[in-house]
Amino acid sequence: MKINHNIQALNAYRNLAANQLSISKNLERLSSGLRINRAADDAAGLAISEKMRSQIRGLEMAERNALDAISLIQTAEGALNEVHSILQRMRELAVQAANDTLEPSDREAIQAEIDQLTKEIDRIADTTQFNQKILFSGSPKGRAFAEANSSKVNYVGNGTWQGVVTAAPTEPAEVILDIAAALGAETQANIDGKTFTINGKVYEIDVTNLPTPNGLTNTGHIAVNVAWIEPAATDANIMTNVNNLLSALKAAIEARDSQTFGTNIQKIDVTDPDVSNDGSALTNGRLILKTVNNMSPKEASTISVSTSFTSNVTYLDPVDLTTPVTTLKAKDQALASESFTITFAEPPKNGDTLKIDNLTITFSDSTSSSYTWNGTGGTATIDVSGKDVFQVLQDIKQVLSDAKADTTNNPVGALNSYTVVGSSLVLSTDRTDDGNAFGSSNGLEIQIIDSDFEANKGKELKLEMQIGANESETLGFDLSVMDAASLGLARKADHTTPLSVGVNAEAGIDVSSSAQAARAAITVIDQAISKVSEERGKLGAIQNRLEHTINNLKTANENLTSAESRIRDTDMALEMTEFTKNNILTQAAQAMLAQSNQLPQGILQLLKS
């Protein structure tokens, strides 16, 4: 018998510890439901299980991706369904317009609806989105980085949109007919038969002191009957002659050109500042001709004025009253501004340009420079590298602020106001249309140059759907450009000149010029219907394929999950059996440990004896 070492107790303790460790593992597996909770449980099994788990989670996400792809296709196909409806209506209208029972006015009404339907096709192409991805305008590189919503800014080719934005006139056009008092001293012979030509109408003076006029030299002229005093020996006679002429001419114009001038003609009589001194200088007499309608300088320039008098009669500019003119004049500024927006679809790229009035902003991916005047115009360069649309717009706003502050050169004099709203630059101008072409206009000039538009326009939107758990398991398809131009329907305002893909229609295909033109339009619309049908058929086939893909993903996911379960999950019944066994062994080990701890007590019996 030994006192220093209780080998039996140590043996019982070792078995007890082993049993407790086994129970701990049993409890862990039973509580987690997993056979493998750590690599030590089954290193190889853990590695296999984790690879399976990555595949399972990948398959689950691929299934969601495929469902998202179907949602995208359904969105696209729904939009094309409406395009089909529009095209069917357009074809119906074209067939109607091809019938010779219609008058030109009837075809014009049909054309108006065709134009609106064509623009709606463009709107659908521009706005149909899924998760902010525009579906039917083609590749983002095949669209302009910005677009002005003004009908006055149009595509001119080579990736360039330009035009002159002007405000609607708010004041009438005017001209001043100035007649010197000296004309009142002329003889009847020198006055009779002289003419004033105003807005294409010839007014001829018919002078007489008799009860009846002398008669006109041309029966197409409009008589201006004036009782003429001869000789005009006094200032009073001279004033009477000129004032009578002004009154007669005013009455004739109001009677024969009421649509243009109405009663907006103001007469200013000749006066004598020094009545007591006969022969003193008299003031000039005037007719201020003012149009009924508000007019721009361009419209006013179409109303010409002239006279056969070589002296004493002058048409004057109503603003400076010294410059002789040959047409009516209108103000180049309106009381109300015209506002429009330039909306940015994406940040500008290196080489793109935006011109506002006489300020040219160039976009770069490496350099920048603030506003400066180069002698002929304002310039600035904005570095767009790594910037989003909102940051670029803030830079543009700063450049405009600097240019507006340059009151010496005034590069943006036609620009009234500017502000940034979301992804749009809102501009306004009060300049009216003076009729000049781009480059020499009095309005607000806008030019947008997309440097790679021509190279990329019309490119389809290519999409790659991740429909599997691994890198190469993708489904690729593309969405065709479905704007009016790609369908062959977009026209310029003349209804005959086709527009290129990526450029919104100004008008629809011609159905109004003749029945033959309407018949030709039927064939073009049929081709557009066929193209949309082909696109819808393609989308439907892809959707059907994706539905099979989803079924395959679900099956693979189910089978792989089952396989992973066999490796990773615990068999609860078997584990419970093991737990029961280990629990009994632990209790037995505890009892034996207690018994082995009593063995050394026998030594005390020896010592007592």
Side-chain angles (χ1 to χ4, degrees):
M1 299 178 71
K2 301 175 182 178
I3 189 63
N4 288 325
H5 295 88
N6 190 342
I7 303 303
Q8 294 86 347
L10 290 175
N11 182 272
Y13 174 74
R14 176 177 60 80
N15 285 301
L16 176 61
N19 291 334
Q20 287 180 329
L21 178 61
S22 296
I23 286 179
S24 175
K25 290 181 178 180
N26 295 144
L27 290 171
E28 184 177 42
R29 289 168 183 159
L30 288 168
S31 61
S32 68
L34 297 175
R35 186 181 68 86
I36 304 173
N37 288 285
R38 60 180 64 82
D41 293 338
D42 185 350
L46 178 70
I48 296 170
S49 173
E50 288 298 334
K51 284 192 291 184
M52 286 183 173
R53 281 188 172 185
S54 66
Q55 289 295 299
I56 290 168
R57 296 182 67 172
L59 289 170
E60 290 172 350
M61 184 53 68
E63 182 182 342
R64 289 174 56 189
N65 287 349
L67 287 169
D68 286 343
I70 288 177
S71 297
L72 182 147
I73 288 172
Q74 288 174 334
T75 302
E77 206 266 332
L80 291 183
N81 179 54
E82 196 56 39
V83 173
H84 250 155
S85 298
I86 291 172
L87 292 174
Q88 294 292 0
R89 174 58 178 164
M90 291 174 71
R91 191 183 192 281
E92 182 181 26
L93 291 170
V95 171
Q96 182 183 9
N99 198 19
D100 263 337
T101 60
L102 300 183
E103 288 294 311
S105 60
D106 300 326
R107 289 196 177 97
E108 286 296 331
I110 293 172
Q111 184 69 66
E113 185 174 352
I114 289 282
D115 291 349
Q116 291 303 315
L117 292 174
T118 303
K119 291 177 180 178
E120 178 60 16
I121 291 174
D122 273 336
R123 191 199 66 80
I124 290 173
D126 290 341
T127 60
T128 301
Q129 301 180 21
F130 184 84
N131 192 30
Q132 296 188 337
K133 184 184 292 293
I134 299 176
L135 303 181
F136 292 123
S137 287
S139 166
K141 292 184 178 178
R143 298 197 304 269
F145 71 88
E147 180 178 318
N149 71 342
S150 172
S151 61
K152 299 170 184 176
V153 180
N154 299 304
Y155 186 68
V156 296
N158 298 321
T160 301
W161 285 256
Q162 67 183 34
V164 182
V165 179
T166 54
T170 53
E171 296 184 75
E174 295 183 40
V175 72
I176 294 179
L177 173 59
D178 185 82
I179 299 179
L183 188 71
E186 294 286 347
T187 64
Q188 289 185 25
N190 289 339
I191 295 297
D192 191 49
K194 290 293 192 293
T195 60
F196 301 89
T197 303
I198 300 170
N199 194 25
K201 298 175 177 62
V202 181
Y203 301 87
E204 181 179 333
I205 299 175
D206 191 2
V207 176
T208 180
N209 284 327
L210 302 174
T212 59
N214 292 339
L216 300 178
T217 60
N218 187 318
T219 55
H221 293 175
I222 301 167
V224 180
N225 298 315
V226 183
W228 198 262
I229 301 173
E230 185 183 40
T234 65
D235 287 349
N237 295 149
I238 291 173
M239 288 191 295
T240 298
N241 282 343
V242 175
N243 292 340
N244 285 346
L245 174 58
L246 291 172
S247 296
L249 181 58
K250 177 178 183 291
I253 296 172
E254 289 176 342
R256 299 301 294 272
D257 203 356
S258 60
Q259 283 190 328
T260 304
F261 298 104
T263 57
N264 287 349
I265 302 175
Q266 181 182 353
K267 173 174 167 279
I268 301 177
D269 286 335
V270 177
T271 59
D272 186 357
D274 187 1
V275 178
S276 62
N277 184 12
D278 199 38
S280 62
L282 304 176
T283 64
N284 290 1
R286 288 176 174 173
L287 284 184
I288 302 176
L289 306 178
K290 187 180 296 186
T291 61
V292 172
N293 298 324
N294 297 331
M295 288 191 177
S296 67
K298 178 182 179 180
E299 295 167 324
S301 66
T302 64
I303 303 178
S304 60
V305 290
S306 62
T307 182
S308 62
F309 283 103
T310 57
S311 61
N312 294 324
V313 177
T314 309
Y315 292 96
L316 298 176
D317 187 316
V319 175
D320 61 21
L321 298 177
T322 58
T323 305
V325 297
T326 57
T327 66
L328 266 66
K329 295 295 178 181
K331 291 187 176 180
D332 61 1
Q333 287 180 287
L335 299 176
S337 297
E338 173 81 6
S339 296
F340 65 102
T341 61
I342 299 177
T343 302
F344 284 67
E346 61 183 4
K349 302 173 292 296
N350 182 52
D352 291 345
T353 302
L354 174 63
K355 184 175 186 289
I356 300 174
D357 206 6
N358 197 24
L359 169 67
T360 301
I361 302 172
T362 303
F363 301 102
S364 170
D365 59 8
S366 58
T367 60
S368 65
S369 63
S370 57
Y371 163 79
T372 185
W373 179 260
N374 65 7
T376 58
T379 62
T381 301
I382 294 176
D383 183 1
V384 295
S385 178
K387 294 180 180 177
D388 59 23
V389 167
F390 308 104
Q391 291 171 311
V392 172
L393 282 170
Q394 291 302 319
D395 290 342
I396 293 174
K397 185 178 179 181
Q398 182 59 52
V399 170
L400 288 173
S401 176
D402 295 341
K404 199 71 176 173
D406 182 6
T407 55
T408 301
N409 300 301
N410 206 19
V412 287
L415 180 65
N416 268 23
S417 65
Y418 55 92
T419 187
V420 172
V421 179
S423 60
S424 297
L425 182 64
V426 182
L427 308 174
S428 71
T429 182
D430 62 357
R431 297 299 174 90
T432 55
D433 188 4
D434 65 1
N436 289 331
F438 182 88
S440 58
S441 176
N442 186 49
L444 179 59
E445 291 190 357
I446 299 295
Q447 185 180 61
I448 300 169
I449 301 177
D450 192 304
S451 58
D452 64 356
F453 176 80
E454 285 291 329
N456 292 296
K457 71 176 182 180
K459 283 191 175 180
E460 299 176 330
L461 177 64
K462 296 188 179 299
L463 300 171
E464 286 283 339
M465 301 300 169
Q466 183 70 33
I467 57 169
N470 303 311
E471 178 184 359
S472 60
E473 296 171 358
T474 60
L475 168 63
F477 63 92
D478 47 60
L479 296 176
S480 301
V481 181
M482 286 285 113
D483 60 10
S486 68
L487 296 176
L489 302 173
R491 298 291 185 271
K492 288 192 174 181
D494 59 8
H495 294 100
T496 57
T497 305
L499 286 169
S500 59
V501 178
V503 181
N504 284 344
E506 298 174 22
I509 191 169
D510 178 28
V511 297
S512 59
S513 62
S514 66
Q516 185 57 43
R519 294 186 190 106
I522 294 173
T523 301
V524 176
I525 295 171
D526 279 340
Q527 292 170 349
I529 291 173
S530 177
K531 185 170 183 179
V532 175
S533 297
E534 181 181 347
E535 187 69 13
R536 290 184 69 183
K538 179 183 73 177
L539 293 176
I542 295 170
Q543 180 175 340
N544 288 338
R545 175 182 173 179
L546 284 168
E547 287 173 354
H548 288 294
T549 298
I550 291 170
N551 290 336
N552 174 258
L553 290 170
K554 286 181 177 179
T555 301
N557 186 12
E558 178 185 346
N559 292 331
L560 200 55
T561 301
S562 177
E564 196 265 345
S565 174
R566 285 191 291 271
I567 296 173
R568 198 72 173 256
D569 291 348
T570 188
D571 184 334
M572 298 295 284
L574 179 62
E575 199 64 38
M576 195 66 201
T577 302
E578 286 292 316
F579 169 73
T580 302
K581 181 192 74 172
N582 291 326
N583 192 31
I584 293 171
L585 289 174
T586 299
Q587 293 179 47
Q590 287 174 339
M592 293 307 102
L593 180 59
Q595 291 295 326
S596 63
N597 284 335
Q598 292 298 321
L599 290 177
Q601 295 293 327
I603 298 174
L604 294 176
Q605 296 299 324
L606 294 175
L607 293 174
K608 289 178 181 178
S609 61

